Amino acid sequence: MTDRTTPEGDRTHDLIGIGLGPFNLSLAALAQGIPTTPGTHPLTTAFYEQRPAFHWHPGLLIDGATLQVPFLADLTTLADPTSPWTFLNYLRTRDRLYPFYFAEQFHIHRAEYDAYCRWVSEQLPTIHFNHRVDAIRWDTGHSLFEVDHTQLTPDGEATATGRTRTHHIALGVGTAPFIPEPLRPLAEAPGTPVIHSADYLHHREELLRADHITVIGSGQSGAEIFLDLLRARPLGVERIHWLARTQAFAPMEYSKLGLEHFTPDYTHYFHALPEHVRDALVPQQWQLHKGIDTDTIAAIHDELYRRTLHGGWPDATLTPGVNVRTAGRLSGPGTRIELHLEHTQQATRSRLTTDAVVLATGYRERPLDTLLTGIAPHIRRDTRGRPRIHTDFRLDLDPALTGNIYVQNAERHTHGVGAPDLGLAAWRSATILNNVTGTTPYPLPQRTAFTTFGLTPRPTPALPAQSSSPTPLTQDH
């Protein structure tokens, strides 16, 4: 059995990955076995993750919840469908291809995607769990990056420290739950039932015991949590309030041409726009990635309607267009919470008393500055102090640093709404690996959308000429 925690010796690596979500896991899978240049040794990589095992949003693996992208958006298929790390090969190893075939599910369960990723992570010898990366430095004398790391026990206790040298680094530290400022003191106070949706399943039973529950957030997570709570509450005494800042509980843009915003073509177009245009554009595109799946909206309406069949209305309130101005605990027994609300269109204010709050308020990119303190002077930044990032996902570094640092899901300001999308994971990993090796182990598509974004489109490859006669099959028996 491969040692899952200890890096391989002290040799210099071609690429070190820091963090192991789906994006760096995709990179690790596609990096396995490819050569640095034709005829040379395979790419040497190591991926460090401080958790003891792979888990993908465990607090949101609600029964029945599915991915919002097709199963083809796995770790490798859209770059290499022949990879041993595809979702279909995972099903084959589990003897589940025929059940999946007959299930006819284009969008798989989140729990199944989590299990698939964990299977991949357990097979790759380059992945090292229980390793926390503490610092990154540039070694001028050897023209290499130094990565300091601490080995941890499964309980998080430090046991040893180490240092690894590498030519290149891939940062996949992911995102962190976002808690709005007015609610942060309550969320951080011990014993107060104000939790982020990332921890929903860990607190579900406690939430269901609350007399009144408030869900804040109009995205997919908020909708799924509201529906799950609604289904679990008694008829007529649901006592759930769903609040949202958006002006409606709006469906996600999921038309076929709308989805072309999640193609490499659009990513290249967005990257070429001026900085101020990109910054103005991202908030306008919220419905591309922050709306609600139409099936979930329909299920919520169906459940609410079912509860009217015998007369009366469910005790559930859905209010969009509302901001939470302030919040606090009420004095007296229990842990009652008072939310001070403002309706943006009516310009009215009110108070809501509740017993528990679920914050489905999304995630924010983890700041890179802490990890990159040792090379901060070498990072070139935009007018707002954010790292500048090349189209091939490299940080824009001082030329004195001859190695590259690649980012995964930290580039929305330069690459657009597709940065966190699973459907672009394999393409981004392939782009990075092509750049690392200086070759094309993964040929990239020259065109990916029917939409032409802008008046100066990327050149379109000519279609191959059609043969007047069928191509003979190879006779090799």
Side-chain angles (χ1 to χ4, degrees):
M1 173 66 86
T2 302
D3 184 353
R4 310 297 302 149
T5 60
T6 304
E8 303 170 4
D10 296 323
R11 62 177 173 169
T12 298
H13 289 72
D14 296 307
L15 176 69
I16 292 290
I18 299 173
L20 197 75
F23 298 139
N24 258 359
L25 183 57
S26 166
L27 188 64
L30 287 171
Q32 189 71 5
I34 67 170
T36 51
T37 56
T40 62
H41 69 276
L43 199 70
T44 55
T45 66
F47 290 80
Y48 299 148
E49 167 58 50
Q50 67 179 4
R51 296 174 300 172
F54 183 95
H55 291 288
W56 184 71
H57 297 304
L60 279 172
L61 300 181
I62 299 169
D63 285 347
T66 61
L67 292 185
Q68 293 173 279
V69 292
F71 74 90
L72 292 172
D74 62 16
L75 300 172
T76 62
T77 291
L78 291 176
D80 179 12
T82 67
S83 164
W85 312 115
T86 64
F87 176 71
L88 288 179
N89 194 44
Y90 163 73
L91 293 177
R92 184 191 65 81
T93 66
R94 294 296 190 267
D95 202 19
R96 293 183 53 230
L97 270 175
Y98 271 91
F100 180 73
Y101 168 57
F102 290 119
E104 297 184 351
Q105 291 182 348
F106 205 47
H107 294 80
I108 64 175
H109 289 262
R110 285 189 195 162
E112 188 171 31
Y113 178 78
D114 176 60
Y116 153 67
C117 288
R118 190 158 44 256
W119 169 76
V120 175
S121 73
E122 290 168 352
Q123 307 299 312
L124 294 175
T126 56
I127 292 173
H128 309 291
F129 294 110
N130 292 319
H131 275 75
R132 182 189 68 224
V133 171
D134 303 310
I136 297 171
R137 286 182 302 277
W138 178 251
D139 181 348
T140 304
H142 294 90
S143 296
L144 295 168
F145 289 106
E146 292 181 338
V147 178
D148 289 347
H149 48 80
T150 300
Q151 189 171 343
L152 308 172
T153 67
D155 296 327
E157 298 293 327
T159 61
T161 59
R163 176 173 296 169
T164 306
R165 292 177 174 83
T166 181
H167 292 285
H168 307 289
I169 291 173
L171 296 176
V173 295
T175 57
F178 173 71
I179 298 175
E181 189 61 40
L183 290 150
R184 191 165 298 153
L186 289 177
E188 295 174 350
T192 303
V194 177
I195 66 161
H196 192 273
S197 58
D199 296 317
Y200 170 67
L201 287 183
H202 307 312
H203 296 273
R204 184 176 182 272
E205 295 307 314
E206 173 190 351
L207 290 167
L208 288 173
R209 289 194 295 269
D211 184 53
H212 183 278
I213 310 170
T214 299
V215 179
I216 299 175
S218 62
Q220 182 68 17
S221 296
E224 290 174 350
I225 288 170
F226 175 80
L227 178 60
D228 186 61
L229 291 171
L230 181 63
R231 286 170 169 168
R233 302 285 272 190
L235 183 67
V237 286
E238 295 85 0
R239 294 185 57 75
I240 311 173
H241 201 135
W242 186 15
L243 301 172
R245 287 190 307 164
T246 55
Q247 300 307 314
F249 294 103
M252 185 174 293
E253 167 57 68
Y254 208 77
S255 66
K256 288 179 170 60
L257 290 179
L259 289 174
E260 290 193 340
H261 287 85
F262 300 98
T263 59
D265 279 9
Y266 182 76
T267 301
H268 287 301
Y269 160 78
F270 184 91
H271 188 274
L273 293 173
E275 179 187 330
H276 72 278
V277 176
R278 295 197 304 256
D279 287 344
L281 192 54
V282 168
Q284 298 171 19
Q285 297 177 324
W286 67 271
Q287 226 170 321
L288 288 170
H289 60 107
K290 291 185 178 180
I292 305 169
D293 175 78
T294 54
D295 289 342
T296 306
I297 291 177
I300 289 172
H301 192 276
D302 290 348
E303 182 63 26
L304 291 169
Y305 178 76
R306 185 183 69 80
R307 290 169 181 257
T308 69
L309 296 182
H310 302 291
W313 289 67
D315 188 5
T317 306
L318 293 73
T319 311
V322 173
N323 288 321
V324 178
R325 295 173 46 248
T326 59
R329 284 184 61 169
L330 294 175
S331 59
T335 56
R336 306 215 79 191
I337 298 160
E338 186 175 79
L339 304 175
H340 296 193
L341 310 178
E342 180 176 26
H343 195 282
T344 53
Q345 293 180 346
Q346 290 181 327
T348 54
R349 294 180 176 182
S350 66
R351 299 181 180 185
L352 172 65
T353 300
T354 188
D355 296 288
V357 177
V358 182
L359 301 173
T361 47
Y363 298 78
R364 296 291 186 274
E365 295 171 358
R366 284 192 171 93
L368 304 178
D369 290 342
T370 301
L371 196 58
L372 299 178
T373 299
I375 61 170
H378 302 284
I379 301 174
R380 294 174 171 175
R381 301 179 181 273
D382 64 16
T383 61
R384 296 174 60 176
R386 300 166 299 192
R388 288 166 51 183
I389 303 170
H390 294 285
T391 186
D392 51 15
F393 306 100
R394 290 177 295 125
L395 290 183
D396 189 359
L397 300 175
D398 189 305
L401 276 63
T402 55
N404 292 318
I405 297 179
Y406 303 89
V407 295
Q408 302 238 52
N409 195 13
E411 72 281 5
R412 188 179 301 184
H413 63 290
T414 55
H415 287 66
V417 294
D421 188 73
L422 294 175
L424 286 173
W427 169 74
R428 178 171 50 199
S429 294
T431 300
I432 291 172
L433 291 170
N434 287 355
N435 191 264
V436 166
T437 61
T439 61
T440 54
Y442 296 107
L444 300 176
Q446 295 186 53
R447 183 172 179 179
T448 55
F450 291 114
T451 305
T452 299
F453 300 102
L455 294 178
T456 53
R458 293 161 58 84
T460 302
L463 292 173
Q466 291 187 343
S467 173
S468 58
S469 59
T471 302
L473 297 175
T474 301
Q475 299 290 327
D476 186 9
H477 301 290

